[in-house]
Amino acid sequence: MNNPDPVVTGAMQHALRPHAIVIGSGFGGLASAVRLGARGYRVTVLERLDRAGGRGRVHQQDGFTFDAGPTIITAPFLFEELWQVAGERFSDDVDLKRMDPFYRVRFDDGTHFDYVGEPERNEAQIRALDPSDIDGYRRFLKAAEQNYRVGFESLVSRPFTRLSDMASVVPDMLRLRADRPVHRMVSRYVRNEKLRMVLSFHPLLIGGNPYAASSVYTLISHLEKSSGVFSAMGGTGSLVKGLERLIAKQGNSIRFNADVTEICLEGRRATGVQLADGTRMDADVVVCNSDVAWTYKHLMPGLKRHRWTDRRLARAHYSNGLFVWYFGTNKRYEDVPHHSILLGPRYKGLLDDIFH
């Protein structure tokens, strides 16, 4: 009797694994695909565009490569964990470099603040702004750490599928006064307006208003201090390429130009997807990484929604996107750090114009 072909046997075993479909190849979709692959699923990622990355994809023109959206990494341990669950090493695929400074905030009067990970170096700059704010800065860091313990460790890293899950963290949220906006919380600790801007601008990075977004977002200050701020060599697109390679190593695939028009349901259970070209793909699990409002309204039109009705979605407030200009240059600008934030003479007034 002939020995079975190991390649054929492997392919058959792969085909017999439960099938998971992931809609969208943003970082959330790619990460979901890796985790599903590590749990034994045969995974197909469906991406309507011609390349992966979602908001993290790249644009190329005239020999230049531009990151479409995110440009920094503030939680590298999450990527390292993804590679670990797949039995690989993150550093083999992606080269991260710690940034110094984390970012430079340049004010309209020409002065600037270089925010770094070492509090002592920040304090030296605070001393030049207002020495009386140093103690407040130290107390702010402690408050930011408390927000990190609740906001990141208790909220971000676990699912909330029942009302009791959220109820369990409400006392901590009330104790930390999560209802207060970021800028108001920062203002409790420091009084110099420039320093208030430096410590409170983070919500702008995700389309939020520092004068309205929850003070829980100050957890980012502790995350930066404890984990650092990094750039991926080759741009954020190198992270996307690394995840693509990881998915391929697991024997799974990404299909491009695959536009999902509907998530197929049996009752309230997803059983597959319908593509724009008429193809029906069955699945044991469907993970959707597209915009949640779009998903409810357009991809599940037949689902009776008690909470996220079309009317409620229409009334919802959405975070802002960005208007981005890309420039290619053939020289280096040594006096412009990688992550520079330029502020004009109107800060709060400009934010009022944008958000209201």
Side-chain angles (χ1 to χ4, degrees):
M1 182 175 180
N2 293 329
N3 292 326
D5 187 330
V7 175
V8 174
T9 302
M12 291 177 61
Q13 290 176 340
H14 181 73
L16 291 173
R17 289 157 61 185
H19 186 211
I21 287 176
V22 177
I23 303 171
S25 67
F27 282 120
L30 296 175
S32 297
V34 171
R35 292 186 181 278
L36 286 164
R39 297 185 67 173
Y41 283 89
R42 173 171 54 92
V43 184
T44 306
V45 180
L46 300 175
E47 170 56 56
R48 69 180 181 86
L49 301 178
D50 61 355
R51 65 184 65 185
R55 292 183 176 88
R57 67 189 183 280
V58 298
H59 299 301
Q60 293 168 323
Q61 182 178 330
D62 302 330
F64 296 101
T65 300
F66 303 100
D67 287 330
T71 57
I72 59 171
I73 296 94
T74 52
F77 55 88
L78 294 179
F79 286 103
E80 290 167 358
E81 181 184 284
L82 272 180
W83 263 255
Q84 287 171 3
V85 301
E88 303 286 339
R89 287 198 313 173
F90 177 61
S91 58
D92 289 342
D93 282 322
V94 182
D95 182 20
L96 292 187
K97 298 295 184 186
R98 186 182 175 96
M99 294 172 60
D100 189 0
F102 289 169
Y103 42 81
R104 170 173 290 179
V105 181
R106 185 177 291 277
F107 304 101
D108 68 291
D109 62 3
T111 61
H112 67 263
F113 194 106
D114 284 343
Y115 197 86
V116 295
E118 298 80 16
E120 299 78 13
R121 290 172 60 192
N122 289 328
E123 289 179 13
Q125 297 178 86
I126 294 172
R127 190 171 287 109
L129 291 175
D130 189 340
S132 66
D133 272 340
I134 291 178
D135 180 64
Y137 167 68
R138 292 171 180 169
R139 289 186 290 113
F140 164 76
L141 289 181
K142 292 180 180 178
E145 181 176 2
Q146 287 183 308
N147 278 331
Y148 175 85
R149 301 299 174 204
V150 174
F152 193 90
E153 294 180 349
S154 296
L155 290 176
V156 173
S157 61
R158 78 182 198 203
F160 288 85
T161 56
R162 298 183 301 273
L163 188 60
S164 58
D165 296 332
M166 181 61 75
S168 65
V169 300
V170 167
D172 285 332
M173 300 289 281
L174 293 174
R175 176 175 57 82
L176 297 174
R177 289 298 308 276
D179 60 305
R180 288 179 307 190
V182 172
H183 190 274
R184 189 188 304 173
M185 176 203 164
V186 169
S187 299
R188 284 190 60 206
Y189 296 100
V190 299
R191 63 184 184 182
N192 183 274
E193 194 55 43
K194 288 182 177 178
L195 186 56
R196 288 175 174 176
M197 293 180 193
V198 170
L199 298 178
S200 68
F201 78 88
H202 291 91
L204 289 170
L205 300 178
I206 57 166
N209 184 349
Y211 291 90
S214 168
S215 60
V216 170
Y217 283 109
T218 58
L219 69 84
I220 298 173
S221 293
H222 180 74
L223 180 62
E224 292 174 337
K225 175 174 171 286
S226 61
S227 300
V229 176
F230 295 83
S231 286
M233 294 298 95
T236 311
S238 64
L239 276 170
V240 176
K241 289 297 182 186
L243 286 165
E244 288 186 82
R245 288 193 294 270
L246 199 57
I247 291 168
K249 287 179 183 177
Q250 293 177 310
N252 295 316
S253 62
I254 304 174
R255 284 184 54 180
F256 299 110
N257 301 305
D259 189 6
V260 176
T261 56
E262 185 176 349
I263 297 173
C264 303
L265 303 171
E266 289 183 5
R268 299 185 67 83
R269 179 177 175 273
T271 58
V273 300
Q274 187 81 23
L275 302 184
D277 64 5
T279 303
R280 159 74 191 247
M281 297 181 66
D282 295 326
D284 300 278
V285 172
V286 176
V287 175
C288 190
N289 190 53
S290 66
D291 176 78
V292 65
W294 176 270
T295 298
Y296 279 128
K297 188 172 182 179
H298 297 281
L299 300 188
M300 295 189 288
L303 179 66
K304 187 174 182 180
R305 289 173 270 128
H306 302 288
R307 178 174 174 81
W308 293 109
T309 62
D310 287 353
R311 183 180 179 186
R312 181 169 183 179
L313 291 171
R315 295 201 314 263
H317 294 283
Y318 298 91
S319 60
N320 282 356
L322 298 177
F323 182 82
V324 183
W325 284 354
Y326 297 103
F327 296 90
T329 176
N330 59 3
K331 62 175 289 187
R332 291 170 60 93
Y333 293 85
E334 302 294 347
D335 61 337
V336 182
H338 172 75
H339 204 204
S340 296
I341 298 164
L342 315 180
L343 300 179
R346 295 174 66 243
Y347 183 65
K348 186 176 186 304
L350 179 60
L351 293 181
D352 286 341
D353 290 345
I354 291 171
F355 286 95
H356 304 299

